[in-house]
Every structure is written in C-alpha cells, then in structure tokens.
Amino acid sequence: MPFAVFSSAGRCLLVAATLLAAAPAVQAQRAAGPNRPPDFLDPAFHKQRRELVRQAMPAGSVAVLFAAPVRNRANDVDYVYHQSPDFYYLTGYEEPEAVLVLFKEPQTIQGQAGVTEALFVQPRDPKAEQWTGRRLGAAGTQQELKLQFTADNKAFAGAGIKWAEFRSVLFTELPTDVRDDPRDESDLFNLVASFRQQAAVPASFSAEQSGLHKTIQRYGVANAANLRPYLENLSKQMPEVAQDVYVQNYLRATTDAERQKAVAERPAMRFDSGTLNDALDNLRAVKTPEELQHLRRAIRISTVGQQEVMKAATPAMGEMELQGLHEYVYKKYGAEFEGYPSIVGAGNNACVLHYIANDKPQVKNDLLLMDCGAEYHGYTADVTRTIPPSGKFSPAQRQIYELVLAAQEAGFAACKPGAEFQAPHKAAQKVIADGLLKLGIIQKPEDVRTYFPHGTSHYLGLDVHDRGTYGPLQAGNVITVEPGIYIPEGSACDQKWWNIGVRIEDDVLITPTGYENLSREAPRTVAEIESMMQRPSALDDFRLPDLR
C-alpha cells in the first residue's frame, strides 16, 4: 500500500425505546476466553513491552494510554471494533472503554502497594454481553492478561492516583472525536474527561505542538535543511505554530551554533506527548520473534491469495469479485480482517493510489493492480501484484512492468542494516527515472514524480503504515519495497502508455547481513506470473445462479 504522509444519524425514538434500549452500539468482539485460537501473543510479551516503555520514562513520570474509540457506521450500527495498536501492543486487551496507566516509580492504588501498571476496563454486563459477546471484566482481564492491577473503568475517577505529584505526565494524542454515551458514565468520553480534570491538563495543550518540540530537539541541528521548510510551511497553515515561541526562535536561527542554542532552550513542559511516542516508535520498529511469527503468517496468507487470484482471474471478471477471492482466502486461513481496504483496480483505476471502490464490472485486458493484505491476530501484510487478466502482458505493459521490477530489485539491494531509511526509495526512483527517460515518457529526471508519486518503503506491523523511527535500517525492521509507475489517461506522453498502472510490493525483513523477502511466494516476474495464470483454479467450475 503506497505510503501516505500523515500525520450521527438520528435515531428513531420508538425503536430505541423498545428494541435497542439494552443493546450497546459496539459490534460483537471476538470471543474472550478458552474458545479463542491458541496462538495469540502471550501475556508475557505485553508485560515485557510495558516494562520497556517504563524504562524509557523519565523519573517522576506517569504515562496514560486510552483504548480506541468506537466508530459509528450508520445510525445505530457501528464498525467492527479495532483496538488501538499501541494499546493492544502494551496490554493484549481488545475491548473498548479502557485506560492504561504506567508509573515510573511504584504507587499505592486503592490500597494496593507497589503498583507500576494499572488497567481500567469495561465491567461485565450480562445484558450487554447478550448482544455483543462476552467481556473479560476486571477479574477476567487479570486472569487472562496478567496485569499487576486491574479494576472496572468506573473506578478510574476515584482510584486515588496522585496526579499533581508527578513531575511529568506522558500520553499520546488524546482522543477528541469520541461520542458520549449517556447510558455509560465510564465510557471513553468520560474516561478522557476524567483524566483531563484529575491531571489538570490545560485546555490549550496541543499534542501536535508538543510533538513538534520533540522533533526540533531530535532533528533541529542534524537535519535542519529538511526541518526548516517543514516548520515554515506549518507556520503558514497553523496559527498556533506561528505563535509558538520555541518554534519561531528555532526558525530565526541561521547557523548551527544558533540552532543548537535555540534547541536547548525548549520550555519545560509537564505535559508531554513526545516521549511516549518516541518510546513506542523505537520499540515497534524492531519486531520480536513472536511478532515475526504473526507477520509471516499474515504475509504467507496474502501470497496464497495472490496465487489463487492469478489462477482464477479472467477478463470477464469484475474488480469486486476478484477482491472477494482474495478475502475468501484470508478467512479460509483464519485471518480475522484485511489490514486495510483492498485495492483492486484495472486500467485507469490502477493509477489511483488508494483506489478502493473496486466496482468496475469487467477488468477486460487492462493491467490489474491488486494491493491486498491479510491481518492475522492484529498484524498485517501488504502485498501488491499487477497482472494481465488475459494471461499475457502486451508489449507496452511488459515494458512498464519490467521497469518497475528492475526498480524493485534495486530497492531490495539497498535493504541492509545501517542504510538510511530512504535508501531503497532512492535506488528505485533512479531506475524508474532513467527508464522513463529512455522510453520518452518524461523529458527530465525530476519529472519522475509525475508517474511515481509515492515513497518506496514504510514500516509494517500492527499498522499497515506502522510506527517506527525512520532512522537507519536495523535488523528486525519489517518494511515494504513497493515502486510503481502510474500513467493515467490523458498523460503527457504517447497514448500507448495510457491506462497502465503497475506496482510491485513485497514485505521485507531486515536481517543482520541484509534482507529476507517474506512475500517471495507471490510470483513477481513476467514469466512467473504468466505461468501461474495458466494453472487450473479450484474455482474454475464454481458457478452461481444468475440474478435476474
């Protein structure tokens, strides 16, 4: 999936009163307890992650993380709940309406001494569980996830945490677009409000500005050439940045010595959203053996999906049907979700980087780009293949495809520990620029971004665009290598190239000596793809009745 830079309907009162009064809006969770698949991460993994975060916390600090909000789909129907990856990483808890508190030094909470970690969770509720599935509750959470201290979320406000005594309060960006359920006094809306009130977080506090301050500290001298234009642009767009004294003092510095002085004069901030983000970036960038086991499973499932769709695809099939084949394979092998909306686009649709409509009735003989990834126990693959539905590449399709393939090989060669994160992109971009010049599609190298507008790599893990430092590559990183060329109709080049979109994406583990292509089972070369597409498919004789 191409790297992207980040960074209610009214209810019918009568129905609500009669049918839904006892039904919480959240959609059913995966079953808690012994009937779940046996290979989820062990509680010891999450415990170790919490301890490593605590080691990164400064003396006298407390860290707070909230579960993800429930997201509404329409009226009284919500999307299937997906936990915040950070929250899951540190707890293994998959339910909403919860808050995790980590203490640098042991505290006494509700009479329990020596507490360094406290998790407040939604309570058991037989009526709610009849609608949406069994909850763990505080006792079940303690039993299953082995945290030191657990309690119902309604106890959070009165837990006796002495917020005023901490020298610094650490948190990631606080949820702000959260619904307030009037039937639940301890939902996420109230948990966040209670934290703000107890810890006296100023209404004016900006997590984004706090993050900017940390960025200046980290890159203000070593990478000023890139940081200065970024901050100048933000200052034009955001009044709060334009009025931030620390940011503006840094921008006024013109020499490294002045920048060093400006960086060192960061104002003391008791509320800090940068330190916790830094700790999580560093930890999540390097995958443990347990995480790699899940990632390998998700990636292998996704490569089998690519193989099976290659065997089954015909020009008469539609994008949505082909999407369904990928996702059937995922479910067949126990992948709970897709890691992101499947991208299945033919012809001009393949030139839309995050195309997800997938509604072209027939793909015909246009190149078909399939960017799809299974999510297994929270960890997601991200694999793209581009194929000719007819089973044979045309000469023009083949030329563009093989140029992208050569760029990917150059990207692979740059994947080694110690290389800068952008090394695979720089290598791939040069190959594509040289190739497009040779084909006459561009007239100067800098025009390459017209047809290759995205980066080549991003981290992969609990998020498809996962957390990471974006510093030098190191053993244990899992990244994508995904060059592409996209030539939409109407482009300023020979029409024979129009409607060709190609992306080839693999998931790569950085090893101590180089790299391992984890998605190598999905055919990549022209010969491999054309050979795979000649093989019989288990779906060749599958026919459904016509709907008339």
Side-chain angles (χ1 to χ4, degrees):
M1 187 179 194
F3 177 66
V5 178
F6 313 102
S7 64
S8 103
R11 295 174 183 265
C12 171
L13 297 180
L14 178 60
V15 172
T18 56
L19 296 180
L20 299 178
V26 126
Q27 295 296 287
Q29 306 299 300
R30 295 197 290 261
N35 294 323
R36 303 187 71 195
D39 60 341
F40 279 86
L41 292 170
D42 190 87
F45 167 85
H46 304 290
K47 173 70 173 177
Q48 181 196 49
R49 302 294 97 183
R50 293 192 298 275
E51 284 303 309
L52 290 171
V53 168
R54 287 187 59 247
Q55 289 176 24
M57 292 166 57
S61 65
V62 60
V64 183
L65 294 97
F66 292 91
V70 175
R71 297 300 186 193
N72 182 254
R73 184 177 186 274
N75 195 19
D76 56 357
V77 176
D78 291 322
Y79 287 101
V80 174
Y81 184 71
H82 191 278
Q83 185 58 277
S84 156
D86 286 335
F87 201 87
Y88 178 75
Y89 185 72
L90 295 178
T91 66
Y93 186 75
E94 297 180 275
E95 300 176 32
E97 326 298 2
V99 56
L100 171 69
V101 186
L102 301 176
F103 306 101
K104 180 66 174 184
E105 292 84 17
Q107 305 290 310
T108 298
I109 306 297
Q110 292 188 340
Q112 181 174 329
V115 174
T116 58
E117 54 183 33
L119 180 62
F120 299 86
V121 302
Q122 62 179 0
R124 297 294 306 274
D125 183 338
K127 289 184 178 180
E129 292 175 48
Q130 183 179 20
W131 289 85
T132 60
R134 180 173 173 263
R135 299 177 177 182
L136 283 174
T141 300
Q142 177 66 42
Q143 179 179 353
E144 296 289 332
L145 301 180
K146 316 297 184 188
L147 275 93
Q148 189 180 31
F149 176 93
T150 59
D152 286 349
N153 55 16
K154 63 183 66 177
F156 176 63
I161 299 173
K162 298 176 180 178
W163 298 98
E165 296 183 4
F166 296 106
R167 292 203 292 271
S168 55
V169 181
L170 316 178
F171 46 91
T172 56
E173 189 168 0
L174 297 176
T176 56
D177 54 342
V178 184
R179 291 178 302 169
D180 182 11
D181 184 350
R183 299 168 299 181
D184 186 351
E185 295 181 354
S186 300
D187 63 0
L188 185 62
F189 181 92
N190 288 291
L191 289 173
V192 173
S194 176
F195 164 65
R196 281 185 168 276
Q197 186 272 325
Q198 292 184 78
V201 180
S204 61
F205 176 80
S206 167
E208 186 164 3
Q209 284 176 269
S210 175
L212 282 180
H213 288 196
K214 292 289 290 187
T215 300
I216 290 171
Q217 286 198 305
R218 180 183 292 177
Y219 303 111
V221 178
N223 200 12
N226 290 322
L227 181 58
R228 283 182 59 83
Y230 172 69
L231 293 174
E232 287 167 351
N233 188 50
L234 279 184
S235 297
K236 294 173 184 175
Q237 297 175 3
M238 302 172 63
E240 59 270 32
V241 177
Q243 296 164 15
D244 188 303
V245 174
Y246 183 62
V247 173
Q248 297 309 311
N249 283 345
Y250 170 78
L251 287 175
R252 280 192 286 271
T254 58
T255 67
D256 280 352
E258 290 176 349
R259 290 186 193 104
Q260 188 71 55
K261 184 174 184 294
V263 167
E265 291 176 348
R266 181 189 179 195
M269 299 184 70
R270 182 166 179 264
F271 300 100
D272 179 352
S273 67
T275 298
L276 192 53
N277 276 314
D278 286 349
L280 289 165
D281 283 346
N282 280 295
L283 287 173
R284 285 179 55 186
V286 179
K287 302 303 186 280
T288 68
E290 302 97 319
E291 292 180 286
L292 285 174
Q293 184 175 349
H294 285 347
L295 270 171
R296 288 179 183 276
R297 178 79 173 177
I299 293 166
R300 184 126 195 252
I301 290 169
S302 303
T303 63
V304 172
Q306 293 284 358
Q307 292 176 29
E308 293 305 313
V309 173
M310 287 181 191
K311 290 188 283 188
T314 68
M317 297 175 78
E319 293 170 345
M320 198 173 296
E321 181 179 5
L322 292 158
Q323 172 189 349
L325 297 182
H326 279 279
E327 294 172 9
Y328 170 73
V329 172
Y330 301 171
K331 301 299 184 185
K332 177 69 175 176
Y333 288 110
E336 296 91 342
F337 305 107
E338 302 81 58
Y340 52 94
S342 297
I343 299 168
V344 181
N348 209 54
N349 293 339
C351 299
V352 180
L353 300 183
H354 287 175
Y355 171 77
I356 60 173
N358 304 343
D359 60 0
K360 189 175 184 177
Q362 290 187 326
V363 296
K364 299 185 179 177
N365 291 322
D366 290 326
L367 278 186
L368 175 66
L369 187 155
M370 304 179 295
D371 184 338
C372 306
E375 181 185 302
Y376 186 80
H377 295 0
Y379 288 83
T380 180
D382 189 3
V383 181
T384 306
R385 292 294 184 265
T386 305
I387 66 172
S390 66
K392 290 288 183 181
F393 288 86
S394 73
Q397 291 171 348
R398 181 172 185 145
Q399 282 181 284
I400 298 299
Y401 187 90
E402 291 191 329
L403 176 53
V404 175
L405 186 65
Q408 192 188 36
E409 291 292 347
F412 286 154
C415 291
K416 57 188 69 173
E420 64 170 321
F421 191 87
Q422 289 296 318
H425 176 68
K426 290 178 179 178
Q429 188 179 57
K430 184 179 188 311
V431 171
I432 289 179
D434 291 345
L436 292 179
L437 279 167
K438 187 175 180 180
L439 293 172
I441 295 175
I442 61 175
Q443 305 307 312
K444 51 186 186 297
E446 53 267 34
D447 291 340
V448 65
R449 288 194 62 82
T450 302
Y451 301 110
F452 179 21
H454 60 77
T456 298
S457 299
H458 58 77
Y459 291 104
L460 191 65
L462 285 168
D463 283 300
V464 65
H465 297 143
D466 207 28
R467 273 190 181 272
T469 64
Y470 289 91
L473 294 173
Q474 54 184 319
N477 292 159
V478 178
I479 66 171
T480 62
V481 179
E482 50 172 316
I485 296 174
Y486 316 90
I487 311 175
E489 185 174 353
S491 295
C493 61
D494 192 314
Q495 292 187 25
K496 72 177 182 179
W497 308 115
W498 289 4
N499 298 313
I500 293 179
V502 175
R503 182 162 63 252
I504 311 171
E505 178 178 19
D506 283 274
D507 302 339
V508 168
L509 169 66
I510 305 300
T511 68
T513 58
Y515 74 94
E516 178 188 354
N517 183 357
L518 301 179
S519 50
R520 59 188 176 275
E521 289 183 73
R524 281 195 316 124
T525 69
V526 167
E528 289 170 345
I529 290 171
E530 290 183 346
S531 174
M532 180 64 70
M533 294 187 74
Q534 301 310 310
R535 296 187 187 182
S537 166
L539 297 171
D540 285 344
D541 298 323
F542 182 64
R543 296 288 184 272
L544 291 173
D546 290 334
L547 299 180
R548 300 186 185 278

